[in-house]
Amino acid sequence: QVQVVESGGGLVQPGESLRLSCAASGSIFRLYAMGWYRQAPGKQRELVASITSGIDPTYAGSVKGRFTISSDNAKNTVVLQMNSLKPEDTAVYYCRADWSTETQRRFTSWGQGTPVTVSS
């Protein structure tokens, strides 16, 4: 079993910052990518940022320049630093982990989500 746990969501005002953290644990042989997705009410889940070992991070156009994703491969953790938050960033943020077993079987695991609300 693999667990993915997010933390750090909350209520902030426009222009403020938040830092989301995510940790993946369990029967992971190789963790080859982690990412953050978000889902606003009435909308589909969308990619916010993702990071793969040895490859430059990927960002959604709407967050580029404001959000930064970083990872600690030794600890299987990923952090999303969100600056200059806007009301349209309001959503539930989900962490995703792409990993494999020792026999090269690949899986994707999701966290339960952490809510972010940007409002004055």
Side-chain angles (χ1 to χ4, degrees):
Q1 279 288 49
V2 170
Q3 295 79 41
V4 178
V5 180
E6 307 104 332
S7 62
L11 171 63
V12 296
Q13 294 188 348
E16 293 186 339
S17 299
L18 268 179
R19 183 180 174 93
L20 304 183
S21 298
C22 173
S25 61
S27 304
I28 297 171
F29 178 73
R30 180 181 174 226
L31 183 64
Y32 54 90
M34 295 189 79
W36 288 96
Y37 289 69
R38 67 186 181 188
Q39 187 166 17
K43 294 188 177 181
Q44 290 192 336
R45 190 174 297 189
E46 62 176 2
L47 171 69
V48 176
S50 66
I51 188 165
T52 302
S53 179
I55 299 176
D56 288 341
T58 299
Y59 295 96
S62 60
V63 308
K64 199 171 291 186
R66 299 188 297 123
F67 292 11
T68 302
I69 188 170
S70 59
S71 65
D72 184 333
N73 293 332
K75 297 181 180 179
N76 289 347
T77 59
V78 65
V79 170
L80 184 68
Q81 178 65 42
M82 306 186 294
N83 298 329
S84 302
L85 282 161
K86 303 176 181 180
E88 50 263 43
D89 295 317
T90 295
V92 177
Y93 283 69
Y94 297 90
C95 180
R96 166 178 167 161
D98 297 321
W99 55 277
S100 66
T101 65
E102 196 168 354
T103 57
Q104 303 302 310
R105 293 185 65 193
R106 291 194 168 189
F107 296 90
T108 294
S109 297
W110 292 89
Q112 292 191 328
T114 184
V116 172
T117 302
V118 185
S119 175
S120 55

